[in-house]
Amino acid sequence: MVKIEFIQQLAELVKEKDLGEITVADGEEVVTIKGKKCPPPPPMGVPMGMPAGAPLAQVSVMQQSAEVSASSAGSGAAVPSGNVVKAPLVGTFYAASAPDKPPFVTVGKRVKKGDVLMIIESMKLMNEVQSDFDGVVEEILVNNGQAVEFDQPIMIIK
């Protein structure tokens, strides 16, 4: 039979050493004292049904495609000069407020800081994108209705 004094000593030891838990066995008698500090969770394994090599294969494919796009970008793609207007969010680029309306800007049009340049639809919301620059629209890099990614160059203003 385990004495109360022994259990109290174990509890003090757990508290003093800031242990998560301690277990003492003497024959068939087992005493476990748990402290405030919980032991760390066991490491996560590969989810059931997923082959162990899959994540590594995905990483290598992503690295290869990044290398291919980087090498193709460096082999003849001109770096745009001027102020690059980038997409502030993921969505669909629209050059005008409605299909029957004229575009906000066209190549060669002079714009001022604060002028609306485009609309990007994201999650059924129409977001007007304003110019951060004064200048002339040099080039529009995407087509009306085209999906755009965050930080994707949309147009160049010189």
Side-chain angles (χ1 to χ4, degrees), residues 12-140:
E12 285 299 316
L13 180 65
V14 167
K15 183 178 177 183
E16 204 174 279
K17 301 290 183 182
D18 198 27
L19 301 173
E21 92 179 36
I22 189 168
T23 301
V24 178
D26 184 22
E28 290 185 21
E29 294 179 356
V30 177
V31 175
T32 300
I33 308 283
K34 295 186 178 189
K36 291 181 181 179
K37 188 177 191 180
C38 296
M44 296 273 301
V46 175
M48 291 178 54
M50 179 178 274
L56 294 177
Q58 290 174 342
V59 169
S60 65
V61 168
M62 287 189 292
Q63 287 174 342
Q64 288 172 356
S65 65
E67 290 168 7
V68 167
S69 61
S71 66
S72 64
S75 63
V79 177
S81 62
N83 297 310
V84 179
V85 178
K86 296 181 179 181
L89 65 160
V90 174
T92 305
F93 166 83
Y94 292 110
S97 59
D100 60 336
K101 300 285 184 185
F104 293 109
V105 295
T106 55
V107 173
K109 181 176 181 186
R110 178 163 292 283
V111 294
K112 293 185 281 186
K113 186 175 180 176
D115 287 352
V116 176
L117 300 174
M118 70 192 94
I119 290 179
I120 296 184
E121 178 189 4
S122 180
M123 298 176 63
K124 307 278 185 201
L125 294 174
M126 301 295 179
N127 302 283
E128 289 186 344
V129 178
Q130 299 177 346
S131 177
D132 290 334
F133 316 105
D134 291 336
V136 176
V137 176
E138 179 78 16
E139 188 175 358
I140 299 176

